[in-house]
Amino acid sequence: TAAGLPLPRIIACVGPESVEAQPESMAMAKLLRICLASALEAKPLTVVEREQLQDVMQELDISAGNLADPKARLKLGKLLPASVLLLGDLMETKQGGVVYIRVVDTETSQVLASLNRKVADEDDVQAVCSGLASEILNKMIQSKPLEAQVTRGKEDLLIVPLGRFHGVGMDSRFELLMNVESNGMNELVSVGSASVAKLEQDGSGMTPQWKEG
């Protein structure tokens, strides 16, 4: 990506993995990976599935189990287009399975979110994954907000280099910030908000709502 251009929200789904090497547990973990990737694809995210990562992980001699090591995560992150890694484990208990999810920043190896859900049986998987996908997206929005410089266009629209590719939807709203000098210091001040009026793959036109004064 060229310097200065906003990065899209891309998540690489590596987990969850089964902690126990039992066929039933391994099959449930695979089902969770498939359903979770599908639920995330329904969100304003670009998803890189585990199968697409295999060549890169083999080249670096990294297994999914190795990704508990921050150094291994950083190593993988440098070669991935993804901004976030999704890792996790499925543990079996007497009451059923519990899936633990970690959302990790590929640039810093920082854990952005840790989530867990009980999974009683296969009928429960879709609902669990749908809920996890919503929480993962919310955590990504909070920790990695989309930022871009805007320019004025025709019809009082603001032209913004953020579009569908970056995860923007017609219902997205943005805060407008202006760099203001005060007492010899520069600070960002909120001057209003913007809603999407025209949406394209790599950009959008937004209608500003300016604050009074």
Side-chain angles (χ1 to χ4, degrees):
T1 302
L5 292 180
L7 296 174
R9 290 197 181 104
I10 303 178
I11 184 166
C13 298
V14 180
E17 289 278 340
S18 172
V19 173
E20 300 177 15
Q22 300 294 329
E24 289 185 3
S25 182
M26 292 173 70
M28 177 61 82
K30 184 174 182 179
L31 180 60
L32 281 164
R33 287 197 299 272
I34 293 170
C35 288
L36 188 51
S38 178
L40 288 166
E41 285 173 347
K43 305 292 183 183
L45 293 168
T46 300
V47 178
V48 181
E49 296 189 38
R50 180 191 176 103
E51 289 70 21
Q52 298 171 276
L53 303 174
Q54 291 297 340
D55 291 342
V56 177
M57 293 175 69
Q58 286 177 4
E59 183 180 335
L60 296 175
D61 195 23
I62 294 175
S63 67
N66 296 143
L67 292 175
D69 181 359
K71 291 182 180 179
R73 297 200 294 258
L74 283 173
K75 194 175 178 182
L76 180 60
K78 289 178 180 178
L79 293 182
L80 289 177
S83 56
V84 167
L85 280 176
L86 189 151
L87 309 172
D89 299 299
L90 174 65
M91 300 185 67
E92 295 294 339
T93 69
K94 292 181 179 179
Q95 290 74 36
V98 180
V99 60
Y100 295 89
I101 296 294
R102 297 183 304 283
V103 182
V104 180
D105 189 319
T106 57
E107 294 183 81
T108 65
S109 191
Q110 177 186 0
V111 177
L112 304 178
S114 295
L115 310 168
N116 65 79
R117 288 287 187 281
K118 291 182 179 179
V119 186
D121 51 42
E122 290 187 8
D123 293 336
D124 198 30
V125 169
Q126 191 168 358
V128 167
C129 290
S130 178
L132 283 170
S134 295
E135 283 201 53
I136 289 167
L137 175 61
N138 288 337
K139 293 290 185 182
M140 289 180 69
I141 290 173
Q142 292 171 15
S143 59
K144 299 177 77 69
L146 293 174
E147 299 176 349
Q149 290 187 336
V150 304
T151 56
R152 286 187 179 274
K154 297 178 180 179
E155 302 173 0
D156 293 328
L157 286 182
L158 299 178
I159 306 304
V160 186
L162 295 171
R164 292 189 187 92
F165 178 63
H166 303 89
V168 176
M170 287 300 296
D171 58 347
S172 299
R173 291 187 63 84
F174 291 84
E175 184 178 14
L176 295 172
L177 302 173
M178 179 180 290
N179 198 356
V180 176
E181 185 175 346
S182 176
N183 298 322
M185 301 286 289
N186 288 328
E187 61 176 323
L188 290 174
V189 177
S190 176
V191 294
S193 61
S195 55
V196 180
K198 297 179 180 180
L199 182 60
E200 298 179 355
Q201 184 68 5
D202 296 315
S204 56
M206 299 191 185
T207 303
Q209 292 86 41
W210 303 106
K211 289 183 177 179
E212 294 183 4

